[in-house]
Structure formats: C-alpha cells, structure tokens
Amino acid sequence: MKTPRYVRWFNDLGIEDIAQVGGKNASLGEMFRELTPMNIKVPDGFAITVDGYWDTLREADILEELKDLLNPINKDDVHDLEVRAQKARELIEDASLPIALSKEISEVFQQYIKLHGKSVSVAVRSSATAEDLPTASFAGQHDTFLNIRTEKELLRAYKKCLASLFNSRAIAYRINNNFDHFKVALSVGVMKMIRSDLASSGVMFSIDTESGFKDAVFITAAYGLGENIVQGNVTPDEFYVHKPTFEQGYRAVLRKYLGDKSLKMIYAKNGESIQQEDTASEDKKKFCISDEEVLKLAEYAIKTEKYYSAKAGEFRAMDMEWAKDGIDGQLYLLQARPETVISQQDQNILEQYHLKEAGEAIVKGRAAGTKIAVGTARLVANEDQLSAFQEGEVLIADSTSPDWGSVFKKASAIVTNRGGRTCHAAIVARELGIPAIVGTKHATQKIDDGQLLTISCAEGEEGKVYAGKLDFEITKTDLSKIQKPHTKLMINLGNPDLAFKLSSLPCDGVGLARMEFIINDHIGVHPMALVRIDKVEDLTEREEIENLIANYKIPQEFFIHKLSEGVATIAAAFFPKPVIVRMSDFKTNEYANLIGGKYFEPSEENPMLGFRGASRYAHPDYAEGFALECKAMRRVRDEMGFKNVILMIPFCRRIEEGEAVLDVMSTYGLRRGVNGLEIYVMCEIPNNVVLIDDFLEIFDGISIGSNDLTQLVLGVDRDSGTVAFDFDERDPGVLKMIKLAVEGAKRNMRYSGICGQAPSDYPEITDFLVNLGIDSISLNPDSLLETLVRVNELESKKILPIV
C-alpha cells in the first residue's frame, strides 16, 4: 500500500504532530510510543489527519457558507447560536467525503480488523488542533462515538465528528477563549474499544483538582463506559493515593468515597451503539474497583506525570482517562493531557474564602473549587429554559450538558443532582472560576426557583447550599513575601476535608490533629458498638451500623480504616512536616451521642472531670475501643508510611496512668522509639506541671492545653456561662503554670508546644510564649498569618515583653 496521505498509526505520532492530528491524537500517539515501555497499557489505533477535514470542506465547496454562518455571531443569543450551529453541522454531514479519503480510511480499517479480529469495535474520537493545551482543555466540546464495528458506521461517525466542531458549545467555547473558528481544524482518532462496559472506567488527575495539592493522585470510577462520568450522569467513587509514600514503597489507598453510580453505560442489545441501564442496588453499595486497581492506576498517573514533566522541563500536572477491560481484566490509559485550571494559577498567591455567618444547608454534595458565591436560583430542566437564564444566577439542574456553554459564563455558581468532581460541569466551573456543587441528589426538589442562595465550596470536600445571603470574606496573601520565624508555628486541625486546602499555609505542621472530628463525622459509631454489636438493642441503630460496615469483612475494620484514612489525609497534606495526633478525648456525654453509644457510656454529673482521656484507655469498659484507635494509628504509620505522625495522650492525671497507657499501646505495636515513634502528653492538669520531670521521663514531649489548664488552675467550669467571666488564660497563675511547664521541658531537653485556644485569641499570650522560648505554637488556621507577622516582628526587633 502506498504511503497514506490521510491516515497515520498512533505509534508513528508524537506531540510534534499536533498541527496534523490535533492535541488528543498527538498525545495518544506519544502515549502509545513512550508509555507502553513503562508497563502502562495504552490502546493502539490510528488518526485521520486534518487534511481530511479541509479537503472535505473544499471538495463540497461549503467553506464560505460556514464562514457566512459564523461571522458575525452572538454567543449570548442562545436560540440564534443553536440555529446557526445546526445549519453548519448539516452542511458537513450532508457533504460527500473525497473518494481518496473514504478509500484510505476503509483500507486502514480493514488492516486494523485483521490485526484485532472481526469482532473488534472501535471508538471514534474528535481531536482538535487547539485541544488539550495547557491553557485550554476544550473538555467535552466535540463528540465521540463508541462501539463502531463496520466501515459504514466508521465513515458516518467520522463525518459526525467533523461536524461536532460546530456544536453550539464548541463555537461559544472558541469565542470565549479567543480562538478563530477557521484556524482550528479537526482530526479524528480511531482506537480499540476497551470493554469497560463489562467492568468500569473513569478519570484521574495527578493533583487534587480543588486545592492544587501536588502530592496526591485523584481517581474517579464508575461502572461501564466513561462517558457517564464526563457528562455528569453519575456520582462516581473517588480515591486518593499519596505520591511520596507510594514512591517510598508503601501501597495503601489514602482515602476513598463511595458514589452511588446509579447508571451504567453499556453496549446496546438492540443494534444501536450504546445504551444506559440502572446499576444493580448491590453494586451501588460497593466500590467498582479494588484497592489494588486503584494503586495500579496511581502508578500509571505518577509515571505519566513524570514523563510529561521531564519533557516540559517543569512540573506538569496531568488529566487522564482510564478504563478496565472486562474481558482481559487489564487497566488501560486512554488519554493524558495537561491539567488546565489549578496548574495555571499563581501558587504564591493564597486566596481564601471564609463564611462569616452560620446557616443550615439545604443540600450538600461534592465541592468543585474552593470559592463562595451568592445568587438567585434558576432551575433548568431542559435546553428550552436556557434563554431565560440571567447574569449572576445560580444554575440548578439534574445534570448539565456541554451544549449549555452559553449560560455557564453567566452563572455565579452551578448545583446539580448528579455528577462527580471530574464531570463536565465541575471542569467548566473551575475554568470559569465559579463554585460548583455536584451530586447533591435532591437540589432540584429542595431548592425553589428564584430562591436566594449562598453556595459554599470553602468548607472542604463537601459543598453546601445555604438559604439566603450569608456574609463572607476573601483574603489574598502573597506567600513569596512571608519569612518563617524561628519559633515554629503550627495549626490545629480536625477535619480531613480541609487538609489539602490548608496545606499551602506557611506553617510547620499540625500541632493538634483532633481525632474526635473524624470519629464523629466520618465514622459516627461508638467503637465499642462495633466490638460488641450484640449489646446494641435498638433495631434502627443496628441497621445503621450494618449499612455502614457492609463493605468490610469485620465491623472493627470499618473503624480502623475510616480513622486511619482521616488521620492519614491530614498527615499527607503536611508530609513530611510533623503532625501531632491526639488520641480520642470525647467526654462520656459526647461518646453517648454516637450510634450505639448509650449502651457503653455511664451517666456522669460532670463529664469534664470524669471518664475521659487516658483514664479510659486501659479501663475494661473501653480497652477494646482503644485497641481500635491503636490499630488505626499503627496502620497510618507502618502500612501507609506516615512516619511524620506523632501521637499524644490527653488528660493523663497520674504517672502510673501514663505508664499503663504506654504499656497498652506497645502491645499494639506502638512503642516509643520503634520506627521513630514519639509519644507526647497533653500538659493540661496542674499535676502535669507539678510532676513535669516525671512525666517527661516516660513521654517525649508536652503540648500545653490552655483550655483545660485554665479551668483547673482557676477552678472554673469552662462550659458554664454563669462563671465565664472568671475564665481567663491571661491570669498570672495560669501564665506561671505555662512558664513552669516550658522550663521543665527545656530542663529535660524535651519538646514543648501549646495547642489550646489562648494564642489564637490573645496576641499578648503569643508574645509571652515567644519570650519563653517555647518550641512551637499551634493556632487556628485563620489566626496563623496574622500571628506569623507578629512573631517575625518580635524576633527580628528582639522587642520582647518581660516575663
């Protein structure tokens, strides 16, 4: 066969061929050639060059007609835009292909069938010359056709791909991004269909898409063909893998989120290419890929990112599509392109959105972005309602379509019932810099048309829609101008959902990671109820527990994995900086509020001074629960690789109590000094200060809990509003105790820090602590930057208050 004019095989292509085969095909060719030797499976195929596009327009003599249709055009006139776009597509679809082009496509397709067998089916994918650029993804703008089996189907799909260059969404996207309609051409890729209709598929990024955190691979997955995830038809499973510990040889999924995966796109049985079917209820309740497969995908992502970063000479975050073949069981990388939103932002500028008011959320879902917006709800059920959409409204829909591009630029925010954080709506929202909340399930039912809303994506991975207008603020900080002081400044953190977002703060780690938030919000069950589920008499609570543990071999595994994932997420965000994790410090009345808790907790007159902290850990009534905490922490350090985790024991009243707790921990593989493990004690009881030398013989350091220390030094119940006027961390007696504690730590050459509320509330206490020479001060995240400036000034001028 003579040298093809229009067709080129993937293994002959590289990124240098983008002008001939478009961004996607050039990338696929380079992937096949360069990544396959790295043990990354990439499907083979061929590209039909842009010469086919131009020759089709010229031979049909429709180029000038197309130009007349599009010049000029108002993208904001939705009806007129769609009418013109439809006429443009009809011109191409009605055109005859050049004979030489049709013949060449048919001949190459026959070769492909001989290579793969008569039963082979292919995907026909558009690839524009302005696609998959570092600054513009063109995600979802052009069409793909699946399960193509015959020459006739292939040629028809080819013309439809060419015509999709003139979808209304693609036209509007080019106008918005200043691309000339007739300087962008379309190539078409033909590649083997991976039988994910019999398995699963998804999208993954080599960074966290919301925060820009570079050390995590983010993977989404759903049953069937991947279009459902891209189109936002389903809420997929989500997974994170930490890159640095993975490359150190640890193999563990950092955290995962179970999506409903309500639909599955499969090959049609009625002769059409594809069809939707409902996912079986049992399949919805379990993850669609195994942990081993998540880790294999993470390996693909890490290798791909490294390759493209090395080629670019700079860090290059990647956006990838993958699929599992249900016949051979293998995982394939289908596409790799530069991530185009977070990676383009100035990483030295820290922009933070903060709600200044509390409200009750109407609906919740997965947050796309980290911003807050206020606007009036506009419910859109179909395209006919788009023309009524007004500037600044909040788009509320079951799901969105790429065809809605003309209204996306008008929207202040997007909220959908369905979809995940890698669907089209989420990607476009990030590109436009507006918040989106996807996968809410009930937004269109619970939100009224015309209702004033506050859309918040600033509270972690979970986005919230509030009724009314809530006040919020935006702060911007140039991190390049911040100098780190000698005194270490750390943050207090309990919510893993905020960890990646806060990781860019100029801090020295986490001085207090609260375990209670994870247990309360991510687990919800009393640990003893998982050990002794037979003691839970309430049938409703028993059913709740059974539903929660459905994906785990034994009930205790649910607690161990959920707690370890939460703590590991915080440790990953600040890795390798230290993260001090306090073992659980619920009071009995707080433990009793957990599912099944009332069967295991005593009723106390004063829980603040009762069965809490260290006194629980070796006690028969909670020893089995503490065992689960210890197993989770061992998993974090030894199986997941987060050696930066330091453990801390709260409310330890006596030396003997501390020794008993350490003995228990050692039986579960948490022994001081082994694998670099350090164990601190909270210094929050006067006896901790009086016997500071003795406590520091058995512990590696102290962290001062100013809240409890103040209440016990002054004899004030900190939960009592009646005597609140007497609760003051600045009292000379409290400051004296703090001074004695820090001096004791120095005398014993041990770590000293503070993690109570006082430094966040009172700048003068920060001055006092800096003058004492305390090793670290841990603050609420919103107090960090202001305190950092103050400490820098104190240390540089050496103008310190007299102690």
Side-chain angles (χ1 to χ4, degrees):
M1 181 178 172
K2 64 181 181 180
T3 303
R5 176 185 174 191
Y6 295 108
V7 177
R8 295 182 61 182
W9 294 98
F10 281 171
N11 59 357
D12 293 329
L13 296 176
I15 206 68
E16 64 277 4
D17 299 303
I18 192 169
Q20 274 295 299
V21 297
K24 190 177 296 177
N25 284 337
S27 174
L28 280 166
E30 184 164 23
M31 284 167 57
F32 187 82
R33 191 180 67 230
E34 302 294 341
L35 301 184
T36 300
M38 300 181 195
N39 294 319
I40 296 176
K41 290 191 172 293
V42 180
D44 66 349
F46 57 89
I48 306 167
T49 69
V50 297
D51 289 339
Y53 168 77
W54 290 121
D55 285 1
T56 298
L57 300 192
R58 292 189 190 102
E59 193 159 311
D61 196 22
I62 57 175
L63 186 57
E64 292 305 316
E65 285 185 75
L66 288 170
K67 289 181 179 180
D68 289 341
L69 277 172
L70 268 63
N71 292 321
I73 190 168
N74 180 7
K75 64 180 176 61
D76 296 320
D77 186 335
V78 178
H79 176 72
D80 182 60
L81 173 61
E82 182 51 49
V83 168
R84 291 175 185 242
Q86 178 65 32
K87 287 180 179 178
R89 292 195 299 276
E90 288 173 355
L91 283 174
I92 296 175
E93 290 181 27
D94 292 342
S96 296
L97 295 177
I99 294 174
L101 172 62
S102 298
K103 182 180 178 182
E104 196 169 299
I105 293 173
S106 297
E107 289 174 347
V108 173
F109 187 55
Q110 287 304 316
Q111 291 183 52
Y112 197 74
I113 290 173
K114 287 181 182 178
L115 183 65
H116 290 285
K118 292 182 179 180
S119 63
V120 70
S121 62
V122 296
V124 181
R125 308 178 74 184
S126 57
S127 176
T129 52
E131 196 167 59
D132 295 349
L133 302 175
T135 54
S137 69
F138 278 80
Q141 302 307 313
H142 310 120
D143 291 345
T144 292
F145 299 91
L146 306 176
N147 195 22
I148 303 300
R149 294 176 177 273
T150 67
E151 285 182 28
K152 184 177 179 181
E153 289 176 350
L154 174 58
L155 293 172
R156 184 170 63 244
Y158 172 69
K159 281 207 292 183
K160 284 183 173 292
C161 267
L162 297 186
S164 73
L165 191 64
F166 296 97
N167 283 326
S168 57
R169 61 181 182 264
I171 294 170
Y173 191 92
R174 288 194 295 272
I175 294 171
N176 290 334
N177 288 277
N178 298 315
F179 285 96
D180 187 317
H181 298 299
F182 298 97
K183 289 185 179 178
V184 176
L186 204 73
S187 166
V188 172
V190 179
M191 60 193 292
K192 179 186 173 185
M193 278 289 294
I194 304 303
R195 293 300 303 272
S196 59
D197 62 305
L198 303 175
S200 51
S201 58
V203 177
M204 63 181 175
F205 288 81
S206 64
I207 58 172
D208 177 46
T209 53
E210 312 317 319
S211 64
F213 180 64
K214 294 181 178 180
D215 284 344
V217 175
F218 176 50
I219 300 167
T220 61
Y223 295 113
L225 304 175
E227 289 299 301
N228 273 338
I229 291 182
V230 176
Q231 293 172 7
N233 292 330
V234 297
T235 302
D237 295 336
E238 295 181 357
F239 308 88
Y240 282 101
V241 176
H242 186 238
K243 291 190 282 189
T245 48
F246 184 93
E247 294 193 273
Q248 290 175 1
Y250 294 96
R251 294 293 179 266
V253 177
L254 182 63
R255 74 185 305 196
K256 48 191 175 182
Y257 168 83
L258 185 67
D260 65 16
K261 307 176 293 294
S262 56
L263 295 173
K264 178 164 57 173
M265 187 179 287
I266 60 171
Y267 284 3
K269 300 179 179 66
N270 58 4
E272 296 180 10
S273 59
I274 55 175
Q275 69 180 33
Q276 295 277 22
E277 72 174 23
D278 292 333
T279 304
S281 57
E282 285 304 308
D283 288 339
K284 292 180 186 178
K285 296 175 184 177
K286 58 188 180 183
F287 292 101
C288 63
I289 54 175
S290 67
D291 283 5
E292 290 74 20
E293 289 168 333
V294 172
L295 295 169
K296 173 57 72 172
L297 289 170
E299 180 185 339
Y300 282 8
I302 292 169
K303 286 180 176 179
T304 302
E305 180 188 80
K306 281 189 170 183
Y307 169 75
Y308 284 103
S309 295
K311 183 172 181 180
E314 61 182 9
F315 175 74
R316 184 59 55 86
M318 300 301 293
D319 169 357
M320 294 153 281
E321 293 180 17
W322 63 271
K324 179 182 177 180
D325 193 303
I327 296 176
D328 65 22
Q330 299 295 313
L331 294 165
Y332 289 83
L333 194 62
L334 305 182
Q335 181 170 294
R337 59 189 178 195
E339 192 280 333
T340 60
V341 182
I342 289 290
S343 57
Q344 300 302 307
Q345 296 174 359
D346 187 344
Q347 299 302 308
N348 286 321
I349 302 299
L350 177 65
E351 183 179 69
Q352 295 178 293
Y353 283 67
H354 301 281
L355 276 177
K356 299 175 72 176
E357 295 181 79
E360 185 173 346
I362 306 172
V363 292
K364 301 176 183 178
R366 309 301 286 167
T370 59
K371 296 183 177 181
I372 299 172
V374 174
T376 301
R378 171 71 68 176
L379 272 64
V380 176
N382 53 60
E383 292 186 10
D384 293 339
Q385 298 174 336
L386 293 177
S387 59
F389 197 91
Q390 301 298 309
E391 190 82 29
E393 290 182 328
V394 178
L395 175 60
I396 312 291
D398 182 55
S399 63
T400 66
S401 164
D403 293 318
W404 297 9
S406 58
V407 303
F408 286 142
K409 287 211 78 166
K410 296 180 182 178
S412 60
I414 301 170
V415 180
T416 65
N417 292 341
R418 296 186 286 168
R421 291 189 291 155
T422 55
C423 73
H424 175 262
I427 291 172
V428 170
R430 290 189 201 99
E431 287 190 353
L432 296 175
I434 60 175
I437 301 176
V438 295
T440 64
K441 297 183 180 179
H442 310 296
T444 54
Q445 289 79 43
K446 293 190 175 183
I447 296 172
D448 296 325
D449 199 43
Q451 184 177 5
L452 185 62
L453 303 172
T454 298
I455 312 300
S456 175
C457 291
E459 301 169 74
E461 293 177 6
E462 186 175 61
K464 298 177 182 178
V465 179
Y466 296 99
K469 180 179 180 180
L470 298 184
D471 191 21
F472 67 94
E473 65 178 0
I474 308 170
T475 60
K476 291 186 179 182
T477 305
D478 187 346
L479 299 178
S480 65
K481 296 181 179 179
I482 291 179
Q483 180 182 349
K484 298 283 284 289
H486 173 76
T487 306
K488 294 188 181 302
L489 298 182
M490 308 173 85
I491 63 170
N492 300 330
L493 181 60
N495 185 355
D497 292 350
L498 295 173
F500 290 168
K501 172 187 170 185
L502 296 174
S503 65
S504 58
L505 287 172
C507 66
D508 295 294
V510 178
L512 174 62
R514 300 182 182 92
M515 194 178 282
E516 299 82 43
F517 185 95
I518 301 169
I519 295 173
N520 194 64
D521 280 38
H522 294 258
I523 297 173
V525 183
H526 194 290
M528 292 299 294
L530 295 168
V531 176
R532 301 180 187 176
I533 193 170
D534 56 297
K535 286 197 172 186
V536 179
E537 298 173 2
D538 187 296
L539 294 180
T540 301
E541 290 192 328
R542 283 281 284 270
E543 186 178 353
E544 284 186 83
I545 295 172
E546 294 291 349
N547 288 335
L548 288 169
I549 65 176
N551 284 322
Y552 298 86
K553 294 177 182 177
I554 57 174
Q556 298 93 314
E557 200 175 83
F558 166 71
F559 185 94
I560 292 167
H561 277 254
K562 283 293 185 181
L563 181 57
S564 60
E565 287 174 9
V567 169
T569 298
I570 297 173
F574 297 90
F575 187 85
K577 297 174 184 177
V579 172
I580 303 171
V581 179
R582 185 178 68 189
M583 306 303 281
S584 69
D585 192 25
F586 280 125
K587 286 72 175 175
T588 52
N589 58 323
E590 296 166 336
Y591 263 121
N593 289 329
L594 296 171
I595 299 171
K598 61 187 177 185
Y599 300 104
F600 301 96
E601 295 298 330
S603 177
E604 296 185 302
E605 291 290 332
N606 188 357
M608 189 71 73
L609 298 180
F611 190 42
R612 62 174 287 202
S615 65
R616 299 178 63 94
Y617 300 158
H619 194 283
D621 288 349
Y622 188 71
E624 291 170 292
F626 185 61
L628 301 186
E629 294 183 32
C630 290
K631 289 176 182 178
M633 293 307 96
R634 182 174 182 181
R635 181 172 187 260
V636 169
R637 286 181 50 84
D638 295 350
E639 295 179 30
M640 303 179 84
F642 295 104
K643 298 292 193 293
N644 58 325
V645 167
I646 297 167
L647 301 179
M648 184 160 64
I649 306 303
F651 222 74
C652 186
R653 296 176 171 100
R654 298 178 298 110
I655 299 297
E656 294 78 11
E657 192 170 68
E659 290 173 335
V661 169
L662 292 173
D663 286 344
V664 170
M665 294 176 74
S666 67
T667 64
Y668 296 107
L670 297 173
R671 185 183 295 275
R672 284 178 61 212
V674 177
N675 289 329
L677 174 63
E678 291 185 283
I679 303 178
Y680 295 168
V681 66
M682 289 288 291
C683 184
E684 54 191 347
I685 300 170
N687 200 35
N688 301 144
V689 180
V690 174
L691 296 180
I692 188 72
D693 298 307
D694 299 300
F695 275 100
L696 288 176
E697 277 189 22
I698 64 172
F699 290 104
D700 297 296
I702 60 166
S703 185
I704 299 164
S706 57
N707 300 343
D708 274 325
L709 186 61
T710 301
Q711 81 165 342
L712 294 174
V713 169
L714 299 180
V716 177
D717 181 354
R718 61 186 174 99
D719 283 347
S720 170
T722 307
V723 292
F725 59 89
D726 265 337
F727 187 92
D728 191 341
E729 297 98 322
R730 297 165 296 179
D731 184 90
V734 177
L735 295 180
K736 180 69 172 178
M737 294 294 274
I738 293 174
K739 179 182 179 185
L740 291 172
V742 174
E743 289 175 345
K746 286 179 174 295
R747 183 168 61 250
N748 288 276
M749 293 183 289
R750 299 289 197 192
Y751 166 87
S752 67
I754 186 168
C755 60
Q757 187 67 24
S760 297
D761 290 344
Y762 303 115
E764 59 267 40
I765 289 186
T766 299
D767 300 350
F768 173 79
L769 294 167
V770 170
N771 188 39
L772 279 180
I774 197 168
D775 292 321
S776 76
I777 300 171
S778 195
L779 306 134
N780 295 336
D782 57 3
S783 302
L784 176 72
L785 295 175
E786 183 180 347
T787 304
L788 194 150
V789 172
R790 185 180 184 91
V791 172
N792 264 327
E793 290 176 355
L794 285 167
E795 290 185 351
S796 64
K797 296 177 182 178
K798 298 188 183 299
I799 302 174
L800 302 176
I802 298 173
V803 180

